[in-house]
């Protein structure tokens, strides 16, 4: 897939999710739908889902893929780094990320995108791939646009 094709695919998914989300503003319904659509549209997505902050813990929410950690060890790993830094983090090789939390040994690269409600971080979208270097600035731009839809009142 060329970069242009990838960008076009993210654009189409964004439009599809915008339409689907008109049915309900419920964030669980939207996260589940986003995970389902994305997971089946990109062959390199191995685990696609969300962790939500609850009482200071990161708890797994809607996802597609193999069974993952239900609770992430506090202040460790890629998801917590994205929460604390309030920004997207791309990890080309998870083995080189200090403190990376491995829920499945097959994961080799990862991207995390924080989920904002206003200025508050509510959780994080996390996508894993079985290949190294799967995610780039096009995934980042596409996913940052999509996560903004989760808590949007109207789409
Ligand atoms: N690798 C993540 C944990 C979540 S799993 O990848 C689904 C991390 O280091 O935070």
């Amino acid at each position: 897939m060329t970069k242009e094709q990838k960008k076009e695919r993210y654009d189409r998914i964004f439009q599809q999710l915008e339409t689907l989300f008109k049915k309900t503003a419920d964030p669980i319904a939207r996260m589940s739908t986003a995970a389902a659509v994305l997971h089946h549209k990109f062959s390199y997505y191995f685990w696609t889902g969300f962790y939500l902050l609850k009482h200071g813990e990161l708890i797994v929410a809607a996802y597609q893929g193999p069974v993952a950690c239900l609770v992430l060890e506090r202040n460790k790993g890629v998801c917590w780094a994205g929460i604390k830094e309030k920004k997207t983090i791309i990890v080309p090789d998870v083995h080189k990320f200090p403190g990376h939390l491995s829920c499945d040994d097959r994961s080799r690269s990862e991207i995390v995108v924080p989920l904002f409600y206003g200025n508050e971080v509510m959780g994080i979208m996390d996508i894993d791939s079985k290949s190294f270097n799967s995610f780039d600035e096009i995934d980042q731009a596409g996913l940052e646009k999509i996560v903004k839809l989760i808590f949007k009142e109207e789409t």
Side-chain angles (χ1 to χ4, degrees):
M1 190 174 26
T2 66
K3 289 200 173 220
E4 194 49 43
Q5 285 167 331
K6 182 151 84 162
K7 191 186 170 305
E8 282 166 11
R9 191 170 299 183
Y10 274 111
D11 287 345
R12 282 199 301 277
I13 293 171
F14 178 84
Q15 285 162 16
Q16 185 184 357
L17 291 175
E18 240 186 351
T19 306
L20 288 165
F21 290 179
K22 287 185 197 306
K23 291 275 182 203
T24 177
D26 183 272
I28 301 291
R30 289 182 174 185
M31 283 186 271
S32 309
T33 305
V37 171
L38 284 163
H39 193 76
H40 292 96
K41 291 273 164 75
F42 289 103
S43 57
Y44 56 96
Y45 279 37
F46 172 60
W47 192 91
T48 311
F50 295 85
Y51 281 87
L52 294 180
L53 271 175
K54 291 189 181 173
H55 310 292
E57 292 202 292
L58 265 182
I59 314 281
V60 79
Y63 70 92
Q64 300 259 326
V67 173
C69 315
L70 275 72
V71 182
L72 296 182
E73 190 183 333
R74 212 177 288 224
N75 299 328
K76 221 183 150 190
V78 188
C79 291
W80 272 110
I83 295 271
K84 284 191 282 187
E85 292 175 29
K86 294 190 174 193
K87 66 176 178 71
T88 297
I89 298 176
I90 293 173
V91 183
D93 178 351
V94 296
H95 307 118
K96 292 186 179 150
F97 190 94
H100 168 258
L101 298 171
S102 176
C103 301
D104 190 306
D105 288 348
R106 291 170 289 179
S107 291
R108 286 182 167 155
S109 62
E110 184 166 2
I111 184 170
V112 296
V113 183
L115 205 53
F116 289 95
Y117 184 80
N119 290 325
E120 200 182 338
V121 182
M122 308 300 286
I124 198 137
M125 178 187 235
D126 179 17
I127 298 160
D128 289 10
S129 163
K130 284 200 280 187
S131 307
F132 295 112
N133 293 308
S134 285
F135 305 102
D136 60 18
E137 72 289 349
I138 296 171
D139 299 279
Q140 174 170 358
L143 294 169
E144 285 177 352
K145 214 173 146 195
I146 286 166
V147 296
K148 284 199 184 102
L149 292 174
I150 302 290
F151 291 114
K152 205 171 166 202
E153 282 303 319
E154 283 174 31
T155 68

